[in-house]
Structures are given as structure tokens and as C-alpha cells.
Amino acid sequence: EIVLTQSPGTLSLSPGERATLSCRASQSVSSSYLAWYQQKPGQAPRLLIYGASTRATGIPDRFSGSGSGTDFTLTISRLEPEDFAVYYCQQYGSSPTWTFGQGTLVEIK
Amino acid sequence: QVHVVQSGAEVKKPGASVKVSCKASEYTFTSYAMHWVRQAPGQGLEWMGWINAANGDTKYSQKFQGRVTFTRDTSASTAYMELSSLRSEDTAVYYCAREVVLYAFDIWGQGTMVTVSS
């Protein structure tokens, strides 16, 4: 089973700053099957990025995804107040199975 | 507006079973698979498995195999998750989520809190 490790665990930034979140897989993942989600307290997750780099419907262009193989990145170009949340990466693998990373908290500095 | 609505919070005793429903609206229920994901308090997301809404085929995470059952009622556009032999570690919010292109989950239910306590 593929394990996804996200780093850092917590990212402390100010509004307007750039956020770079990492998701590393224990073995190569098809970039087509890597997604990112945002979750705010008390809410369900929201799909941000699928296929490693395609923004979901209605997602602002300050969110971007990149990467391939075992290393993937979610970048928020300029943090808005509503972007402070927990972010999860997710991959689809053979069997079929789905796996989530443990999450990165983006908090206000 | 496409959405899914889950049943309300449940409190169960250890050893009991719980059944959570997930009703889909404003889309063709049988055209998409439905997944179940849970989140223990203060923890991350854990995939439990999925059901093919068209034919009822299921795939369960190995962790829950033998204890979880997914079903669906196509006439009601509703998916169900039943978890048996509950223990305190099953206390969590349970989500259903629709699978779309490239195996991502675009529509999530609001979550159902299941509390297991004696």
C-alpha cells in the first residue's frame, strides 16, 4: 500500500504570503490520480486539485498543483484569510484503493 | 445544485451496529461511484471503501473488511454504510463522497457523527 507523507505538519504564514505544501509518496504514483483537498473546522473536505494540477470547478487560480512520480506540491500563491485550513493529498492506487496523507495545517502567523 | 445529504448523528454502545445513509440529489445517482471516508476526532481522513452505484459492486479497505457493508437503493438515490461490532475507536465523523474524473471526490456529504460509548 502506498503511503503519502505530507510536510510540513504545520505551516505558519501571514495573509499575502506564499504557501508551499509537499506530499511525498512511498512509491511512484500516477500523476493523473493525485488530488488535493481543503478542510476547514466543522466542514467536509473540498476538492481543490485533481490529476495533480487541474483545478476543480470554482477553485481560484491562486491554488496550483504540480509534481510527478513520488513528489507533489500544492502552492497557494498569495494566502487569503479564508485559505487558513488543513490540506490533504490523496492518491488512487491499484486494487483499487485510495489513500490520504496525514494533512498539513496552514495557520495564521 | 448537486449535493448529498447524510443522516443524523448516532450514539451507539460497544458491540452494536450503525447504519448511515447518504441521499444524492440533482444528478444521476447510478452514474457515479460513492465512497465512504471517516475522520476520528482531531485526526486525518481515512478511506473506508466504495460502492458502484450502478451495479452494487463494492470494495472495502482491508482495515474494515468483514465489519463494514455498503449498499444502495437506486430508487431512492441513496447509499448506505453499515458498520458492525462497534468499538470506541470507531467514534468519528463518517462522510460519503462522490467519485468523479480521475478518481477524485468532488461532492461530499455534511458528515455523520457516530459516537461509540458505554
Side-chain angles (χ1 to χ4, degrees):
Chain A
E1 179 184 311
I2 295 178
V3 176
L4 299 178
T5 301
Q6 294 186 238
S7 62
T10 301
L11 199 50
S12 299
L13 295 168
S14 300
E17 289 193 294
R18 181 185 187 89
T20 303
L21 287 67
S22 172
C23 175
R24 179 161 290 176
S26 58
Q27 54 187 282
S28 186
V29 171
S30 169
S31 58
S32 297
Y33 306 146
L34 195 288
W36 290 91
Y37 299 83
Q38 176 194 68
Q39 187 180 33
K40 297 179 181 180
Q43 296 185 17
R46 177 174 72 143
L47 177 64
L48 297 175
I49 301 284
Y50 63 91
S53 61
T54 302
R55 278 187 300 277
T57 302
I59 301 303
D61 61 7
R62 64 180 180 272
F63 291 92
S64 63
S66 63
S68 64
T70 59
D71 290 298
F72 297 88
T73 300
L74 174 70
T75 301
I76 311 170
S77 58
R78 287 178 55 86
L79 283 164
E80 297 288 342
E82 62 268 28
D83 298 337
F84 292 92
V86 179
Y87 293 83
Y88 295 94
C89 58
Q90 175 212 42
Q91 69 90 29
Y92 160 80
S94 60
S95 294
T97 58
W98 281 256
T99 309
F100 290 95
Q102 82 281 15
T104 289
L105 169 65
V106 178
E107 65 175 17
I108 299 177
K109 186 175 181 179
Chain B
Q1 181 183 356
V2 173
H3 63 281
V4 292
V5 177
Q6 298 182 221
S7 49
E10 303 264 11
V11 179
K12 295 292 183 181
K13 293 195 181 302
S17 296
V18 68
K19 191 169 185 176
V20 177
S21 68
C22 169
K23 181 172 175 58
S25 297
E26 305 300 327
Y27 75 89
T28 302
F29 176 71
T30 51
S31 294
Y32 300 85
M34 192 71 79
H35 292 251
W36 291 89
V37 176
R38 79 175 186 180
Q39 186 171 38
Q43 302 301 308
L45 302 170
E46 181 174 34
W47 179 75
M48 299 180 68
W50 67 282
I51 183 167
N52 181 322
N55 63 16
D57 284 350
T58 56
K59 169 71 176 183
Y60 303 122
S61 166
Q62 204 165 356
K63 176 173 179 177
F64 300 99
Q65 193 83 35
R67 227 168 40 100
V68 72
T69 304
F70 301 149
T71 56
R72 93 282 188 229
D73 178 347
T74 57
S75 66
S77 297
T78 301
Y80 301 91
M81 185 280 299
E82 184 168 20
L83 188 62
S84 62
S85 304
L86 290 168
R87 35 209 190 227
S88 58
E89 309 89 90
D90 295 318
T91 293
V93 176
Y94 290 77
Y95 294 101
C96 59
R98 185 182 80 163
E99 177 192 323
V100 285
V101 62
L102 298 179
Y103 306 105
F105 305 161
D106 71 332
I107 303 295
W108 293 67
Q110 81 278 19
T112 297
M113 181 70 212
V114 175
T115 302
V116 183
S117 174
S118 55

